[in-house]
Amino acid sequence: MAIIYGRVAAELDLLSIAPESVKKIEDVETIHQELKEKLSKTKKEFFDKVPDRISEEEKILENIRNDEKATHQKYDEKIKTLESKKSEGGFSTISASIKISLVKNFSKRREINKIKNLEEKQQERLSEWTENPEQIFNRDKKEQINEVKTFASLERSKEHKGAKGEVRALKKLSELSDDYHIFCGVRAILPRYVTYNGRKNLRSAQMDFIVVSKKGVILIEVKNWSSKFYRESNKISPHEQVDRAGRVLWIALKSWWSPRSPRVTNVLVSIQD
């Protein structure tokens, strides 16, 4: 088995934007699937209980309406008693009228208004359970739903695609014998800018893999791109990218092994999922 140094750079990029529960690239799909299954189970249990919940909400509404009737009856009896005492001369005419007015226009109205507000809110709640239980589920399980969306977005991201391609390549490279040394995610910076394609514009490069063996040094650039993305991309082409990186690596090795330097072979690996 090949000797591996470091960790795939694209996987580290993925981990930097992923939730803490993700420790390696395989965790993204595994956790996403577990979360989807858990959410699906939760949703089924929720909707299985919706008919019972509607019945409960109907009973609550019925109790509120019964409470309203009882409150009307209680205050009507109180007013009737006050009017009876007034007619019997138990109160002065002015005092009796004030008390009856307070009970009728303040105490009774205040209590009835409270009950009416409860009834209105309960009616709205019952209507939501009857007509749109999905909205209730989405609101109550918002955090769980967002977690699934986060992992779905992560799985579609360019970081995940890039890491998936590089990890696949490394897995294959690791099958080489221990005569091969594989360096992952190497960034080389030259002491000064050098000329590339007639312009002094090249100084550093990020390299996916450098394979070192007795046969020489191989620079490998991995791209998990679709044909459409490749055609429409406005980035430096993968071919130029690996060529630039190869030149930086060759110059760096030359400075270390001067006056001779090992040959650098540039390889572009295209992996299309």
Side-chain angles (χ1 to χ4, degrees):
M1 183 175 179
I3 301 171
I4 299 170
Y5 304 86
R7 193 167 180 181
V8 172
E11 186 175 26
L12 293 175
D13 291 340
L14 175 69
L15 296 180
S16 70
I17 63 169
E20 290 185 3
S21 56
V22 178
K23 306 300 181 186
K24 56 186 185 298
I25 186 172
E26 292 83 2
D27 292 344
V28 174
E29 294 180 19
T30 301
I31 295 174
H32 185 203
Q33 185 60 33
E34 289 173 354
L35 289 172
K36 284 195 298 183
E37 289 173 0
K38 185 178 178 181
L39 181 62
S40 178
K41 182 181 178 182
T42 302
K43 191 169 187 176
K44 183 180 183 305
E45 290 172 350
F46 175 88
F47 279 93
D48 284 346
K49 294 177 182 177
V50 165
D52 292 337
R53 189 57 187 265
I54 290 174
S55 296
E56 290 175 13
E57 298 298 334
E58 286 174 339
K59 287 178 183 176
I60 293 171
L61 181 60
E62 184 181 355
N63 289 337
I64 292 172
R65 287 172 175 168
N66 289 336
D67 189 30
E68 183 183 357
K69 291 177 184 177
T71 302
H72 270 294
Q73 186 177 354
K74 179 182 75 172
Y75 279 101
D76 287 347
E77 288 175 357
K78 196 169 186 178
I79 292 167
K80 187 177 179 181
T81 300
L82 288 171
E83 287 176 341
S84 176
K85 285 184 178 181
K86 177 184 174 183
S87 63
E88 293 172 359
F91 300 108
S92 68
T93 303
I94 295 175
S95 177
S97 298
I98 291 173
K99 286 185 177 181
I100 292 169
S101 179
L102 285 172
V103 171
K104 185 185 293 184
N105 299 314
F106 180 74
S107 300
K108 179 183 177 181
R109 183 174 295 176
R110 182 183 61 184
E111 290 297 314
I112 293 299
N113 284 342
K114 284 182 182 178
I115 296 170
K116 286 286 187 186
N117 287 335
L118 287 175
E119 182 181 357
E120 185 178 341
K121 289 177 181 178
Q122 183 59 27
Q123 184 61 63
E124 290 174 357
R125 186 166 178 79
L126 176 59
S127 297
E128 189 177 26
W129 274 103
T130 305
E131 300 167 11
N132 198 359
E134 184 89 24
Q135 182 172 290
I136 298 173
F137 177 81
N138 292 341
R139 183 173 61 244
D140 291 350
K141 303 300 177 183
K142 183 179 179 181
E143 186 175 335
Q144 196 174 346
I145 291 169
N146 285 342
E147 195 173 14
V148 172
K149 288 180 178 178
T150 295
F151 274 86
S153 176
L154 191 63
E155 201 169 327
R156 293 192 302 268
S157 69
K158 61 179 176 43
E159 287 85 1
H160 183 259
K161 286 183 171 62
K164 198 173 180 181
E166 289 187 26
V167 168
R168 282 178 63 190
L170 181 60
K171 187 176 180 181
K172 196 67 180 173
L173 288 170
S174 66
E175 296 175 7
L176 294 166
S177 71
D178 58 8
D179 290 333
Y180 292 84
H181 297 253
I182 302 170
F183 296 83
C184 307
V186 177
R187 179 169 177 77
I189 303 176
L190 301 176
R192 63 185 66 83
Y193 281 96
V194 297
T195 301
Y196 180 82
N197 281 348
R199 297 177 62 190
K200 214 167 190 177
N201 60 358
L202 181 61
R203 188 181 180 188
S204 65
Q206 180 73 33
M207 306 162 199
D208 292 339
F209 303 107
I210 300 173
V211 181
V212 180
S213 73
K214 294 175 182 179
K215 298 179 180 180
V217 177
I218 301 174
L219 168 68
I220 300 178
E221 176 70 23
V222 179
K223 291 297 180 188
N224 189 3
W225 286 9
S226 66
S227 300
K228 180 181 179 183
F229 183 83
Y230 173 72
R231 290 194 304 270
E232 297 177 356
S233 175
N234 58 3
K235 298 180 179 180
I236 297 175
S237 77
H239 304 88
E240 182 178 337
Q241 190 175 343
V242 72
D243 189 46
R244 290 170 67 94
R247 180 164 177 77
V248 169
L249 179 60
W250 180 78
I251 293 171
L253 293 177
K254 186 177 180 181
S255 67
W256 297 338
W257 273 290
S258 182
R260 294 186 60 202
S261 63
R263 177 183 176 185
V264 176
T265 303
N266 302 331
V267 177
L268 176 63
V269 178
S270 175
I271 298 176
Q272 296 189 29
D273 288 335

